[in-house]
Each structure stands twice: as C-alpha cells, then as structure tokens.
Amino acid sequence: MANSKYEYVKAFEQPDILLPNTWIVVRIDGRGFHKFSAKYAFEKPNDRRALDLMNMASKAVLTDLPDIVIAYGISDEYSFVFHKTCALFERRESKIVSTVVSTFTAHYIYHWNTFFPEQPLTLPLPSFDGRAVLYPTIQNLRDYMSWRQVDCHINNLYNTTFWTLIQQGGMEPQEAEKALAGTLAAEKNEILFSRFNINYNNEAEIYKKGSIVLRDYELVEPGTSHEPLDENSAKTVEEQQLSKTQEEKDRKRRAKARITVQHVDMIKDEFWERRPWLLS
Ligand code: ATP
Ligand code: ATP
Ligand code: MG
Ligand code: MG
Ligand code: MG
Ligand code: MG
Ligand code: MG
C-alpha cells in the first residue's frame, strides 16, 4: 500500500496483546436488560425462551470461534473461555472482545423471532458489552467458573423466593424485598417449602445451574487414568512427535464435535475429571 503523509496516525494505535500462556475469559453482559426484559414481558424469575436464545447465540459463537473451549451463561451474561495457547488475532484484546460481542449480538438478534415469534424486535435493539480477564492457572480459571455458578445459585434462590412471594403470596415487591432481607439460604428454602409447598431442589436445572456450552465427546469414566500432557516428562523425540500428531488429531476431532448445552455442576472436580480435554 502506498505511503501517504497521513500514515503517521497509525502510530497512535496502542498495542493490546493479551499476556501469552494465560486463559482468556471474555464475559459479555446485556445492556440494560432489566428494562429490556420488562419491555418484552420476560417471565419472572426465569424466562426460558430468553435463556434458550442466549444459549443458541453462544453455540453459534463457539461454532464461529473454535479457540473457545467452554462457555458459561446465566441471566443476560455469558463467559467464553479461550484456551491458554489461543493465538487468535495474535491475542489482540480489542479484536477478540469485539469479535465475540458482535458475533453473539448478531446471532441473538438473528434468532430472536424463533423464540419470541409473537414479539418482533423493535428499537432500541438489544446490545451487549464485553471485557477480557486473564487467568494464569487452571485453579484460577476453575475458581472463576465456580464464582459464576455460585452466583447463579444465589441469585436464583433469591429470585425464585422473591417472585413466589409476589406471584403466589400476593406481596408487593417492596414487601417481598423486606421479607427476604438478611435471610440465609436455608430460610429461603424454608419459606418456599412451608408456605408454598415448593421444594427448591425440584426447580429446573437450567435455572439452578446455569448453562454450560461445550463440545461433546465421550466422557472419561471416573477412576480411569488419562495421560496428562506433561511438558517435562522424559519422552523421546519420536514419542513427542507421535503425541503431537495424536494431539493434532484430537484437536481436529474436537473441532468437528457437536456443540451441546448442559446444566450441571462444574464446581466439583468430577465435571473436569470426566472431561480432561477441556483444560489440557
Ligand atoms: P447493565 O446494563 O448494567 O448490565 P442490566 O439491567 O442488564 O444492567 P444486570 O445486572 O445485567 O442489569 O441484570 C440483568 C437483568 O435482566 C436481570 O436482573 C433480570 O431482571 C433480567 N433478565 C435477564 N435474563 C432474564 C431471563 N431469562 N428471565 C427473566 N429476567 C431476565
Ligand atoms: P480482517 O478480518 O482482517 O478485517 P478482511 O477480509 O475483512 O479481513 P479488510 O482489510 O477489512 O479485510 O478488507 C475488507 C475487504 O472487504 C475489502 O478489501 C474489500 O474486498 C471488501 N469490501 C468491504 N466493503 C466493500 C464494499 N463496500 N464494496 C466492495 N468490497 C468491499
Ligand atoms: Mg453489567
Ligand atoms: Mg446486563
Ligand atoms: Mg447481567
Ligand atoms: Mg475486515
Ligand atoms: Mg477493513
């Protein structure tokens, strides 16, 4: 491309390469969804259609961006985890974050009619913000995922009790808020059970656990050993090449795997132990 006297402006662009060899989490969140959910009369506390739409958009993001190993969604937010070896856009933060946000938003709007056929989208259209956070260790990353899933549980128990007090208990929102102020989880469970005969454990898993999007492979049976990818193990060059080819094959197989949505616990070790490829 020809140089021009204007070319110097390029130097104003700041580098924003994300630290190498760290797990990248891009979290997106709906802008003003409190209002947005009221506009389209989302069912409270949980509108299943809205969650299914979020999940559909996230599946599309994983399809479009194979570097993402797992994603987790609750309410109007989704966290996308890029493998620590990810080299997409040379790990430029703004390119990664903006691509995730716009891909997600595009699919959210594209699929809206499937889930809300009776309510066409009108201006202002839904939009999402996004940020990237880096986690240097698997423990940090797992703690991040656990943090979001615990948040899901705490919020859902609160919201379920809050809306039951209103919808079935005839309370005003302010009354319900007051009734719940300072209550522990056990007390909320008790309110639901003794006053409304609702066993919180029987609520749908998607509401209690949130949504995990990942590529579907055969699960590893608990107890069977899985060879860890140990960079320091004493392997011959040939062995290393062999396992590299195997790794490459595995990667390709996984890239083709079906993308599924699950609503299970990922705080306990079992989830990660049965899916060793996720963090290897
Ligand atoms: P901000 O722009 O700062 O994110 P916000 O209004 O989106 O503001 P959030 O803290 O992100 O605030 O909360 C999202 C809100 O959207 C929830 O509090 C809830 O009222 C609503 N919401 C999102 N998803 C659903 C759903 N599936 N069913 C019912 N309500 C939902
Ligand atoms: P990257 O993902 O790196 O941005 P890219 O293929 O989008 O890759 P760009 O440098 O952004 O590359 O160039 C955009 C290209 O899109 C142009 O080179 C041109 O071929 C095409 N293009 C964009 N807008 C138009 C248009 N209005 N008419 C014709 N071609 C267009
Ligand atoms: Mg927010
Ligand atoms: Mg929001
Ligand atoms: Mg939110
Ligand atoms: Mg372009
Ligand atoms: Mg361009």
Side-chain angles (χ1 to χ4, degrees), residues 7 51 53-54 80 110 120 129 138 142 154 157 180 186 221 226 237 258 263 268 271 279:
E7 192 90 358
L51 293 176
L53 174 56
M54 291 288 291
F80 298 92
Y110 180 73
D129 67 53
I138 285 179
R142 278 193 50 185
I154 293 170
L157 178 58
L180 292 179
E221 285 308 313
H226 173 82
V237 175
R258 204 164 52 97
H263 318 289
K268 295 194 198 88
F271 175 84
L279 301 181

Side-chain angles (χ1 to χ4, degrees), residues 158-262:
Y158 181 91
N159 291 337
T160 303
T161 317
F162 177 80
W163 285 102
T164 304
L165 286 170
I166 293 168
Q167 291 160 351
Q168 298 185 38
M171 281 190 185
E172 291 299 319
Q174 270 187 345
E175 275 179 88
E177 202 180 317
K178 238 176 139 186
L180 292 179
T183 54
L184 302 172
E187 295 167 276
K188 294 188 192 74
N189 274 299
E190 185 56 27
I191 291 172
L192 285 173
F193 194 68
S194 60
R195 289 171 62 178
F196 304 101
N197 202 25
I198 295 170
N199 184 343
Y200 181 76
N201 289 332
N202 296 339
E203 293 294 298
E205 293 298 313
I206 184 174
Y207 304 147
K208 289 186 297 179
K209 303 259 174 39
S211 298
I212 301 166
V213 185
L214 41 69
R215 292 167 229 282
D216 204 19
Y217 314 108
E218 325 86 76
L219 293 178
V220 172
E221 285 308 313
T224 52
S225 78
H226 173 82
E227 193 191 349
L229 292 174
D230 183 359
E231 289 151 27
N232 303 318
S233 68
K235 274 186 185 152
T236 65
V237 175
E238 251 171 36
E239 275 171 340
Q240 279 177 21
Q241 268 167 357
L242 239 167
S243 63
K244 274 264 178 290
T245 334
Q246 189 56 41
E247 240 176 82
E248 191 51 36
K249 265 191 196 154
D250 282 354
R251 249 179 226 286
K252 285 201 178 132
R253 196 167 57 88
R254 277 166 208 161
K256 276 193 229 145
R258 204 164 52 97
I259 294 168
T260 65
V261 184
Q262 301 178 13

Side-chain angles (χ1 to χ4, degrees), residues 91-107:
R91 293 176 78 90
R92 287 164 64 190
E93 174 171 8
S94 54
K95 295 212 45 151
I96 291 176
V97 173
S98 60
T99 300
V100 170
V101 171
S102 70
T103 305
F104 184 92
T105 307
H107 285 282

